[in-house]
Amino acid sequence: MKKLLLGNEALAQGAIDAGISGVYAYPGTPSTEITEYIQRSKTAKELKIHSKWSVNEKTAMEAALGMSYAGKRAMTVMKHVGLNVAADVFMNMSVSGINGGLVVVVADDPSMHSSQNEQDSRYYGKFAMIPILEPSTQQECYEITKYAFELSESLGLPVLIRLVTRLSHSRAGIETGNRTPQKNLKLPSNPTQFQLIPMHARGRYKHLVDIQSDILETSENSYFNEFKKGPNTSIGIIASGIAYNYLMENFEGEDCPYPILKVSQYPIPKKPVKQLFNTCKKILVLEDGYPFIEEAISDFLGENRKVIGRLSGDIPRVGELNPDNIANALGFDVVINETVPKVVAGRPPELCVGCGHRDLFDAVNALGKEMGSQQVFGDIGCYALGVLKPYESINTLIDMGASITMAKGAADAGVHPSIAIIGDSTFTHSGMTGLLDAVIENTQITVIISDNSAIAMTGAQDSSASGRLISICKGLGVDEEHLKIITPLHKNLDENINLIRDEINYKGVSVIISQRPCVQLPKEKKDKLKELKKVTLN
């Protein structure tokens, strides 16, 4: 059957057809559509494939490992910075190994279209010493996912699939195949495998080291790594993932005259790399992201310029790869006009008309004249746009959950007032532990949870915080006298300013929940939220 699918959707269909029993994820662009596709899939519903969103990437990965422990195939999905959150379990499960096939899908974001950085997840895979797969086309997204589960079970290890934004968010016709039945419940045959106390972990780690040659062998023989001969050996090309696609765009309708090694499975296969070194004068490395392959095969002292790419300056060191970058590196005549026509007006992102964050920022800014500047710590979500004009309300934006802990650290240093602004979903993702730190020391900070009852930035997925924020804050020990709710509307501006001012002046931890549903939510969902949120501080 042929389907027109995004790269993300093709991967999701591949996972369904590979026989998964569950996908565990937290929304994050450019990975979100993978889980959403499975949530919408009629087949997935019939098979009762678990697909509800997790609270964060760490809990998602741990739950996927739990399903694998039970012998069933599971997938966990996140964007690249989400892997930082899940790094603890990621590194340890490479040592424990898996039972049922386990695939970790990470979507990287070169050029930072919707991210704080453009880190390359291949380094995590190498760090954990597990196989990495990097599809080059949407069809490969489908095929490589099915293969990943087979590879995971054959090696007894989790497998990392790395995507990039352009592949995740572009469409192509996909040929799908037969679906593998889901696995039966089967607990581990080795009762100590998942018991990572030192006496067991040492043996598991030695096993991981011992099978590195087997992992390399699978890469050397992989169908997804391909060596193509070419008559012009002045340059040999190594192209990984989507870079291979971009390379071939420069030779549309004709064969590339240079020898090419297409890499879509890691570790980097040594035999074809050696063949390129022995036959070509220079090696051009094309990869979307960090110079991962280039670093691995380059001369350490930088004296031998045989290998060229991002490190040598032949490919731009920052930003995503594109066909024009490659054409320049190959010496083709390319005119890149970066002048923006006058008729094109700049359209920076902005908060929706009617968004509750706007009214919250109006209240915070009104108090700014009294309290001074550079004392509002922000977080990840739609409200991050508060750093831009016309608001300029937020002074920091680092990672999920950092608003509360940075506000605490600033308060410890003597900053007052010290205000954290965090969204409802980000709070349950990574903010609760920071609030507990503040409660334990009764630090003088004001935490404003801007509760729009959705993970709005990535498509208004359900928030784990809905209807639970008050009980969570009480459970963490917040004084009920300083746990307040406001409704961010213009008519309430003066009232909200006064309440926020009072809480700022309280010599301890105060939490203000600024509560108003996202304007993009459908009416039916808002009505359900009204029923859910018929709660009081009593």
Side-chain angles (χ1 to χ4, degrees):
M1 182 184 295
K2 194 157 191 175
K3 298 182 177 183
L4 181 64
L5 298 175
L6 295 172
N8 279 349
E9 294 171 334
L11 188 149
Q13 185 62 54
I16 293 170
D17 290 348
I20 64 165
S21 293
V23 57
Y24 296 87
Y26 182 82
T29 306
S31 71
T32 308
E33 296 83 2
I34 298 171
T35 306
E36 289 183 330
Y37 181 90
I38 296 173
Q39 289 171 339
R40 294 192 306 266
S41 166
K42 182 181 177 183
T43 302
K45 289 174 183 174
E46 290 171 351
L47 294 170
K48 296 182 179 178
I49 295 174
H50 177 279
S51 61
K52 287 189 178 295
W53 295 109
S54 299
V55 172
N56 65 29
E57 294 85 359
K58 181 176 184 286
T59 64
M61 191 174 289
E62 289 163 344
L65 181 59
M67 181 168 279
S68 167
Y69 177 89
K72 299 197 173 188
R73 289 184 169 180
M75 180 168 72
T76 182
V77 181
M78 61 205 67
K79 67 182 294 175
H80 58 317
V81 290
L83 188 51
N84 298 333
V85 178
D88 195 1
V89 60
F90 180 74
M91 294 302 298
N92 288 335
M93 72 184 187
S94 70
V95 176
S96 71
I98 54 90
N99 188 19
L102 178 55
V103 173
V104 179
V105 180
V106 184
D108 289 358
D109 191 19
S111 278
M112 295 177 266
H113 296 283
S114 55
S115 307
Q116 308 97 299
N117 68 38
E118 55 178 45
Q119 71 187 52
D120 191 322
S121 299
R122 291 177 295 175
Y123 286 92
Y124 264 118
K126 186 175 188 297
F127 192 18
M129 296 191 285
I130 63 172
I132 309 165
L133 299 171
E134 187 178 15
S136 61
T137 64
Q138 288 81 358
Q139 183 65 47
E140 274 196 0
C141 286
Y142 174 80
E143 294 171 358
I144 221 165
T145 304
K146 296 180 74 174
Y147 167 70
F149 284 97
E150 299 292 337
L151 181 63
S152 174
E153 289 172 349
S154 68
L155 293 170
L157 291 173
V159 171
L160 175 68
I161 297 180
R162 183 212 185 211
L163 300 176
V164 293
T165 300
R166 298 296 182 184
L167 185 57
S168 290
H169 288 169
S170 55
R171 296 183 187 275
I174 305 300
E175 288 285 353
T176 61
N178 296 328
R179 181 172 57 79
T180 300
Q182 292 171 310
K183 300 286 184 177
N184 294 323
L185 186 69
K186 183 183 178 184
L187 295 175
S189 56
N190 176 3
T192 67
Q193 177 186 344
F194 290 86
Q195 298 171 349
L196 293 186
I197 57 174
M199 64 183 293
H200 296 156
R202 292 187 194 102
R204 293 301 307 171
Y205 179 65
K206 184 179 185 303
H207 171 71
L208 177 62
V209 172
D210 288 346
I211 64 171
Q212 291 302 301
S213 58
D214 297 333
I215 298 172
L216 177 60
E217 189 65 23
T218 64
S219 185
E220 296 280 9
N221 299 321
S222 175
Y223 164 80
F224 297 101
N225 291 337
E226 185 179 2
F227 185 88
K228 295 184 177 182
K229 294 182 179 179
N232 187 342
T233 56
S234 61
I235 296 178
I237 301 172
I238 299 175
S240 67
I242 199 172
Y244 176 76
N245 213 343
Y246 291 158
L247 170 66
M248 299 315 294
E249 282 189 32
N250 282 283
F251 300 98
E252 196 169 353
E254 57 186 87
D255 292 333
C256 175
Y258 307 108
I260 304 170
L261 171 59
K262 171 188 171 289
V263 176
S264 285
Q265 181 170 341
Y266 302 82
I268 304 163
K270 291 184 177 181
K271 293 174 185 176
V273 171
K274 186 175 182 180
Q275 189 174 349
L276 280 179
F277 266 84
N278 290 341
T279 57
C280 300
K281 294 178 181 177
K282 282 193 173 183
I283 309 296
L284 173 62
V285 181
L286 305 175
E287 46 195 331
D288 201 6
Y290 288 9
F292 179 79
I293 296 174
E294 189 180 351
E295 278 185 345
I297 67 172
S298 291
D299 170 47
F300 176 72
L301 296 176
E303 296 171 354
N304 181 348
R305 300 314 310 172
K306 183 163 186 172
V307 177
I308 59 175
R310 289 187 185 269
L311 292 176
S312 67
D314 292 81
I315 298 290
R317 182 64 180 83
V318 299
E320 62 188 335
L321 196 66
N322 62 50
D324 288 339
N325 298 152
I326 295 172
N328 276 329
L330 291 172
F332 297 169
D333 291 329
V334 179
V335 177
I336 303 175
N337 186 0
E338 295 183 350
T339 304
V340 179
K342 292 181 179 179
V343 70
V344 178
R347 293 191 298 170
E350 63 178 355
L351 293 169
C352 302
V353 175
C355 174
H357 298 319
R358 289 174 176 252
D359 293 290
L360 173 61
F361 291 147
D362 287 342
V364 171
N365 285 351
L367 285 166
K369 297 171 185 176
E370 303 173 16
M371 67 184 188
S373 60
Q374 295 183 288
Q375 292 163 251
V376 179
F377 299 87
D379 229 296
I380 307 300
C382 295
Y383 48 93
L385 296 173
V387 304
L388 302 176
K389 292 180 178 180
Y391 305 105
E392 297 181 321
S393 307
I394 292 174
N395 305 116
T396 70
L397 186 69
I398 302 297
D399 62 67
M400 294 189 79
S403 60
I404 299 176
T405 37
M406 287 186 70
K408 181 189 182 301
D412 291 343
V415 172
H416 177 74
S418 187
I419 301 171
I421 296 181
I422 187 169
D424 53 315
S425 180
T426 304
F427 175 71
T428 51
H429 177 286
S430 295
M432 294 189 295
T433 47
L435 180 57
L436 180 58
D437 274 351
V439 167
I440 288 169
E441 297 186 38
N442 198 30
T443 309
Q444 190 173 356
I445 64 171
T446 302
V447 177
I448 301 176
I449 303 175
S450 192
D451 176 15
N452 62 5
S453 304
I455 311 175
M457 193 180 191
T458 54
Q461 294 83 14
D462 290 340
S463 168
S464 301
S466 292
R468 300 181 178 93
L469 286 175
I470 293 171
S471 57
I472 288 171
C473 291
K474 285 181 180 179
L476 290 171
V478 176
D479 185 344
E480 291 186 34
E481 290 296 316
H482 296 281
L483 177 55
K484 307 289 187 180
I485 294 178
I486 63 173
T487 302
L489 287 168
H490 182 69
K491 67 180 182 178
N492 300 333
L493 180 61
D494 291 339
E495 179 186 340
N496 291 343
I497 290 171
N498 290 333
L499 187 146
I500 295 171
R501 182 190 292 115
D502 289 345
E503 294 309 314
I504 284 173
N505 291 327
Y506 170 60
K507 297 188 182 303
V509 178
S510 61
V511 174
I512 300 167
I513 302 173
S514 179
Q515 200 171 74
R516 190 169 137 213
C518 172
V519 293
Q520 298 292 345
L521 293 180
K523 183 178 182 301
E524 310 84 68
K525 199 164 187 178
K526 287 180 181 177
D527 290 342
K528 286 182 182 178
L529 287 167
K530 284 179 184 177
E531 292 299 316
L532 183 64
K533 291 184 177 178
K534 281 182 180 177
V535 291
T536 67
L537 291 175
N538 298 320

